Amino acid sequence: MTIVEEGQITAAAKKLHIAQPPLSYQLKSLEEELGVQLMKRGSRNITLTPAGKLLKARAEQIFSLTTSTTRELELYKKGNAGTLSIGTISSSSTIIPDASIEKFANRYPNIQFDIHEGNSYEVIEMLDKGIIDVGIVRTPFRKSRLAVRDAKVEPIVAVFPRGKVIGKNKDTISLKELEKEPLIIYRRFNALLHSVFETEQIIPNIRCRNDDARTTLNWTKAGLGIGIVPLSALSVYDRKTLQHKAVDTKELNTQMAVIWKSDRQYSALTLEFIEDFANSIESLK
């Protein structure tokens, strides 16, 4: 990892306070052990091979797990303590942290929260790999081998800069009124959106696909199109610069959910947190 970070074996050896030949030998031995070439040595810098990129990604995950595990074991010495690793999506800020987490933190003052952010697919992947204990994601997602507790169903809204006039109704907008507008959408909503537009025999004008609500809102603020996001993705700040209307079709909605692995052994502390938080978001229905 140090070689990758420094980009040169010489610089990495200096940072590690060792001579270059032993480090080069260790790298060669690692490649021989794994049976793959990890790096291509250039005249000035090294370049990762595809195998090297894979090992780098796995090494980062291993370091993250090692660090969180060591910290958790140290905290357990103090009693009723530990680290809770939580994966969150960008649009979950409306439900986390909430009152249940505040009460849990007050009940266990030695607890540490390790937050990992990503889109729903990334959060599920982190959960599969054991990087996080519990995740907050948004439907639709695959539910195999997952325990799931759902929050309330919320509408999908069309978002656009204040001052722009679109649609005849004050609070809702039809698919027909969005037909010719350039749209900025979640990639994961692509199939769902095309399905509802197809029902109305409309071909949507997709200007931009992305994987994050914040990206959609930033492109919308720049005036590049109409953002299509879940209502909860809008923060107080966003509502000062943007306006929104609910997309008027019952098929277009989503909901957040708390997920954890149904086949994993959890500590009593983690299970208590999951139960408290899941009860809290279910009460929002």
Side-chain angles (χ1 to χ4, degrees):
M1 289 302 296
T2 305
I3 294 172
V4 172
E5 290 165 2
E6 295 299 313
Q8 294 179 328
I9 296 179
T10 303
K14 184 177 180 180
K15 185 173 182 179
L16 293 169
H17 304 291
I18 61 175
Q20 179 181 337
L23 184 57
S24 296
Y25 177 76
Q26 289 181 27
L27 177 59
K28 181 180 179 182
S29 297
L30 179 60
E31 291 179 318
E32 290 176 351
E33 179 183 348
L34 298 175
V36 293
Q37 182 181 4
L38 299 173
M39 301 176 181
K40 294 180 180 178
R41 286 74 161 172
S43 57
R44 294 188 177 182
N45 296 295
I46 59 94
T47 303
L48 288 179
T49 64
K53 292 178 181 178
L54 175 61
L55 181 59
K56 175 181 179 290
R58 294 294 180 262
E60 289 172 341
Q61 294 166 1
I62 290 168
F63 287 153
S64 178
L65 282 171
T66 301
T67 301
S68 62
T69 301
T70 301
R71 185 169 59 244
E72 186 171 1
L73 289 171
E74 289 173 348
L75 287 169
Y76 266 120
K77 297 175 186 177
K78 302 175 183 179
N80 288 329
T83 299
L84 279 168
S85 297
I86 305 170
T88 67
I89 55 176
S90 61
S91 59
S92 66
S93 59
T94 57
I95 66 170
I96 183 172
D98 67 352
S100 74
I101 294 178
E102 182 181 359
K103 291 177 181 177
F104 188 88
N106 289 334
R107 193 157 64 242
Y108 301 108
N110 289 325
I111 199 73
Q112 287 190 356
F113 296 95
D114 193 11
I115 307 300
H116 298 257
E117 297 179 314
N119 59 44
S120 291
Y121 297 128
E122 291 168 337
V123 170
I124 292 172
E125 183 179 7
M126 286 188 281
L127 188 62
D128 284 338
K129 293 177 178 175
I131 296 172
I132 60 173
D133 301 309
V134 58
I136 300 165
V137 296
R138 181 176 293 285
T139 59
F141 62 89
R142 60 172 180 79
K143 298 185 178 182
S144 60
R145 296 195 303 164
L146 294 177
V148 180
R149 297 276 287 273
D150 295 315
K152 65 179 178 180
V153 175
E154 59 180 291
I156 299 294
V157 297
V159 185
F160 44 97
R162 288 197 173 277
K164 180 178 177 63
V165 178
I166 177 175
K168 60 182 180 180
N169 293 329
K170 178 182 178 182
D171 299 317
T172 62
I173 190 167
S174 69
L175 294 178
K176 190 67 178 176
E177 289 170 322
L178 290 171
E179 181 176 12
K180 296 182 180 180
E181 297 289 342
L183 303 181
I184 304 167
I185 68 169
Y186 275 178
R187 184 172 287 103
R188 61 194 313 269
F189 286 163
N190 189 63
L192 177 60
L193 285 167
H194 276 278
S195 176
V196 295
F197 274 105
E198 186 177 357
T199 300
E200 298 287 329
Q201 296 184 327
I202 297 172
I203 299 176
N205 175 18
I206 306 299
R207 166 69 59 82
C208 170
R209 294 180 180 85
N210 63 79
D211 295 308
D212 195 296
R214 291 167 295 193
T215 301
T216 296
L217 294 174
N218 286 337
W219 278 59
T220 302
K221 290 171 188 175
L224 294 168
I226 307 297
I228 305 296
V229 297
L231 178 61
S232 62
L234 290 171
S235 66
V236 174
Y237 173 78
D238 293 324
R239 294 174 193 238
K240 292 179 181 179
T241 57
L242 299 171
Q243 55 187 330
H244 68 276
K245 294 183 179 183
V247 181
D248 189 15
T249 175
K250 62 182 181 180
E251 290 83 9
L252 207 54
N253 55 51
T254 184
Q255 63 191 133
M256 283 185 281
V258 180
I259 60 171
W260 63 100
K261 295 291 287 184
S262 57
D263 56 356
R264 184 185 299 172
Q265 293 293 320
Y266 286 97
S267 69
L269 192 70
T270 301
L271 290 173
E272 182 178 344
F273 171 82
I274 291 173
E275 183 66 18
D276 288 353
F277 185 58
N279 287 338
S280 175
I281 72 157
E282 281 189 337
S283 69
L284 298 174
K285 291 184 178 181

